[in-house]
């Protein structure tokens, strides 16, 4: 990107041993390794999972005034800035759903630092990016519902959940939406584990004892691995 060199640590993610949150934030130990998910050039600020090569359109994003302003905004926690920088680059390249994911990850950083205002704002931005991209599937829409709830946008969250329920989604998705509606009614904006909505079948190990969701695989694929269901 800028022709300079920097030393970047490698990262091999550990398999989560706990259930993910309803928005699919993975459980421990992967949960606590966010500082190693992205690399960032200390010279130009380019951020990505691997910075040795860049998407051709990324140069325009890195040179943009709002990207430079983000890097210089000391009110934003440094790790969150890294995820938001990656989100801006993804948005510039047209990968809107991936940009939403990176923005949500910035919200996870804010959660860990008890920065509630940032957490809500970045969840709202993630929802806007998801809705600006290609049509969402049921699992992605569940994440939108959870993000809206946790951002305090209860009416939008409820309407989105009920619209999806009217389509007759898969049983697992319906179970999560039912829990989301209870949380919305209670104005509960806290994080909740997927294990709360999806109790294990009889004579099966508890969900928290199983491998958690892989990044990007979605609720249905995670359930297939977890319970051996089609």
């Amino acid at each position: 990107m800028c022709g300079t060199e920097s030393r970047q640590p490698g990262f091999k993610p550990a398999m989560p041993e706990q259930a993910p949150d309803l928005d699919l934030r993975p459980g421990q130990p992967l949960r606590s390794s966010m500082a190693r998910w992205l690399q960032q050039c200390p010279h130009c600020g380019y951020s990505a999972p691997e910075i040795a090569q860049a998407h051709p359109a990324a140069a325009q994003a890195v040179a943009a005034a709002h990207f430079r302003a983000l890097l210089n905004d000391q009110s934003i926690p440094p790790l969150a800035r890294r995820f938001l920088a990656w989100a801006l680059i993804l948005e510039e390249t047209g990968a809107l759903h991936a940009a939403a994911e990176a923005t949500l990850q910035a919200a996870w950083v804010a959660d860990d630092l008890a920065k509630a205002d940032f957490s809500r704002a970045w969840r709202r931005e993630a929802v806007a990016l998801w809705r600006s991209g290609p049509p969402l599937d049921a699992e992605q829409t569940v994440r939108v519902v959870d993000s809206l709830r946790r951002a305090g946008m209860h009416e939008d969250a409820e309407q989105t959940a009920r619209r999806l329920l009217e389509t007759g989604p898969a049983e697992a998705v319906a179970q999560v939406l039912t829990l989301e509606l209870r949380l919305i009614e209670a104005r509960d904006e806290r994080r909740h584990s997927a294990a709360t909505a999806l109790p294990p079948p009889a004579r099966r190990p508890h969900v928290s004892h199983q491998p958690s969701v892989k990044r990007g695989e979605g609720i249905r694929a995670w359930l297939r691995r977890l319970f051996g269901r089609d």
Side-chain angles (χ1 to χ4, degrees), residues 19 52 80 131 133 136 161 187 211:
R131 287 174 165 172
L136 298 169
R187 295 298 188 260

Side-chain angles (χ1 to χ4, degrees), residues 22 142 165 169-182 194-200 219 223 227 229:
L22 291 175
V142 169
L165 277 173
E171 178 185 359
V173 172
Q175 287 178 302
V176 174
L177 290 172
T178 299
L179 172 59
E180 289 283 7
L181 286 170
R182 291 201 302 268
T196 307
L198 303 167
I219 291 174
L223 283 171
F227 297 140
R229 293 176 177 172

Side-chain angles (χ1 to χ4, degrees), residues 46 48 50-55:
Y46 174 61
E50 166 57 60
I51 64 171
Q53 295 183 343
H55 189 287

